[in-house]
Amino acid sequence: MPQVSRAPRPRRPERGSSPHEGERVRQLTRGQVEDRLRDLGDLYAEISGGSPWAWNQARGAFLRRLAADARRPGFSLLVAETTALTGYAYGFPACGAGPRWVGFDGYLSRSLLHRAASGRLFVISGIVVPSRVRREYQDRAWNLARRLQRRLLDDHDAALGVTLVSRRDVDTVQTLCSWGWRRPVGDAPRALLTGPFRVLVLPRGS
């Protein structure tokens, strides 16, 4: 599920017409992902916050999840940079030939399974961005999280993004919805109604 920290939400600032600073977004190869694991883990832990012990625990658990996702067919990771790493997002195409993604079994409705079968469904596993991106200008096209998630879908010609979020993680659900994610409509499998996770979807172009 996307790692979105639960930072406090201050009063929304006045809206501007453009960001003050634009990050360059590019895709990393698998080799580059391996070379930059330390930087990726450091940024995740820094954004997650907490005590030094919690920082190390969060970093280690995150890197294990990232390494598992990186082995999936079609895995893609985009980084945003200025003079340093400022954010990233990653995921992999859903495969309609069987349960190729751990955690989603039983959660996808028939309509989403049809998308997967046609190769038009993309799982976005993580969106790691600074707190300012989570609380400011969430509805603007140049918001960094929106740029990253939109680029992932465009690069893979996916009609829809999909992710799982813990039912208890209300802050993450609210943050994702501010970036254009929505609860799916239509038929709902049993796991979606009773399981510990919620499914959110993101239409291409959001």
Side-chain angles (χ1 to χ4, degrees), residues 24 26 28-43 59 63 66 77 79-81 83-88:
R24 180 171 65 103
R26 66 186 180 94
L28 298 186
T29 65
R30 288 179 184 269
Q32 289 171 330
V33 171
E34 293 177 1
D35 291 341
R36 299 195 64 176
L37 281 177
R38 179 174 180 176
D39 291 342
L40 297 172
D42 286 351
L43 183 61
R59 185 180 187 278
L63 288 177
L66 177 59
L77 187 145
V79 295
E81 300 169 308
T83 56
L85 179 68
T86 59
Y88 54 95

Side-chain angles (χ1 to χ4, degrees), residues 4-135:
V4 180
S5 104
R6 304 169 184 81
R9 294 174 179 249
R11 186 176 63 181
R12 191 181 181 91
E14 290 186 10
R15 300 179 179 222
S17 59
S18 64
H20 295 295
E21 185 176 19
E23 291 90 345
R24 180 171 65 103
V25 173
R26 66 186 180 94
Q27 182 173 340
L28 298 186
T29 65
R30 288 179 184 269
Q32 289 171 330
V33 171
E34 293 177 1
D35 291 341
R36 299 195 64 176
L37 281 177
R38 179 174 180 176
D39 291 342
L40 297 172
D42 286 351
L43 183 61
Y44 173 80
E46 177 186 337
I47 290 171
S48 297
S51 66
W53 181 86
W55 193 94
N56 287 328
Q57 289 290 104
R59 185 180 187 278
F62 166 75
L63 288 177
R64 287 191 292 273
R65 293 193 301 269
L66 177 59
D69 277 349
R71 292 191 290 269
R72 301 178 188 276
F75 173 82
S76 178
L77 187 145
L78 300 175
V79 295
E81 300 169 308
T82 51
T83 56
L85 179 68
T86 59
Y88 54 95
Y90 60 93
F92 51 92
C95 177
R100 303 290 187 186
W101 52 92
V102 175
F104 276 83
D105 299 355
Y107 278 93
L108 298 186
S109 65
R110 283 190 292 274
S111 60
L112 291 180
L113 289 173
H114 290 159
R115 296 274 192 181
S118 65
R120 305 297 306 282
L121 187 66
F122 191 85
V123 176
I124 297 184
S125 301
I127 303 173
V128 180
V129 291
S131 59
R132 62 176 173 79
V133 179
R134 298 189 296 272
R135 69 175 185 259

